[in-house]
Amino acid sequence: MTFRAKPFLALLFGGGFISIDDAASLKAQGPLPDGPGKEVLQEACTVCHAVSMITGTRRSPVDWGNTVDDMIGRGAPLMEGERALLLQYLAKNFGPASSRININQATSKQLETGLALSAKEAEEIVRFREQNGNFRTWDDLGKVPGVDLKKIEAKKDQVSF
């Protein structure tokens, strides 16, 4: 394992800060599958994120790459060469559960994790579907208030009606 300097404070998405002791408790949450890249994830990702935030997310290799690049830009402590190892681990263990998400059958949680939607957007899709019936076209999906259709269209290869 490589040595990493521990940051004094870690920035969270909500704009708050946590202490190193709190960050250490985030690392301890939940089991992770064994394999190359596990230690990198534990050392780099759990500085700011709970393990459940990672294990509850399913993304394609491209989406994981975008996420990791974003986190590196925000200061994730990855050493040279660790990015590829981390991406392999994430894609293998937390890749898409299935190749397509049926927008007419998926739960709000499946929509949220599978299409990287906010919880509110996913709930709005389900609510709209329950009130108005199944979606047949992209235009139908565009009628859901509070949902950015472009966000879903960007993942159109993962969506079915």
Side-chain angles (χ1 to χ4, degrees):
M1 168 164 283
T2 57
F3 171 77
R4 294 176 202 281
K6 294 193 181 218
F8 180 69
L9 296 173
L11 180 62
L12 289 175
F13 276 63
F17 290 89
I18 59 172
S19 70
I20 290 303
D21 292 334
D22 290 338
S25 72
L26 290 177
K27 284 185 183 182
Q29 295 177 3
L32 289 168
D34 289 328
K38 177 181 176 179
E39 285 185 8
V40 174
L41 184 140
Q42 289 173 314
E43 291 296 317
C45 302
T46 60
V47 169
C48 297
H49 305 292
V51 170
S52 62
M53 182 176 180
I54 300 161
T55 60
T57 303
R58 298 285 180 181
R59 297 189 175 147
S60 70
V62 170
D63 288 338
W64 276 121
N66 292 336
T67 299
V68 169
D69 289 344
D70 181 40
M71 294 300 106
I72 290 170
R74 295 171 188 249
L78 283 175
M79 308 291 253
E80 188 173 329
E82 290 181 329
R83 180 186 180 279
L85 188 61
L86 178 60
L87 288 178
Q88 285 178 331
Y89 181 81
L90 290 168
K92 177 182 177 189
N93 295 291
F94 307 107
S98 68
S99 59
R100 291 188 166 261
I101 296 171
N102 186 312
I103 205 89
N104 291 313
Q105 296 175 352
T107 65
S108 62
K109 188 64 175 172
Q110 290 169 327
L111 293 169
E112 181 183 348
T113 57
L115 300 176
L117 299 174
S118 70
K120 184 175 179 167
E121 288 174 311
E123 289 165 7
E124 285 297 316
I125 289 171
V126 171
R127 183 192 59 73
F128 190 90
R129 181 182 71 207
E130 288 171 350
Q131 291 177 352
N132 300 289
N134 285 346
F135 300 101
R136 294 186 183 129
T137 66
W138 288 106
D139 289 337
D140 291 344
L141 196 53
K143 296 175 186 173
V144 180
V147 174
D148 182 2
L149 185 58
K150 291 179 184 176
K151 198 179 202 183
I152 300 171
E153 284 179 331
K155 297 179 181 275
K156 64 183 173 189
D157 59 325
Q158 297 174 7
V159 175
S160 65
F161 289 93

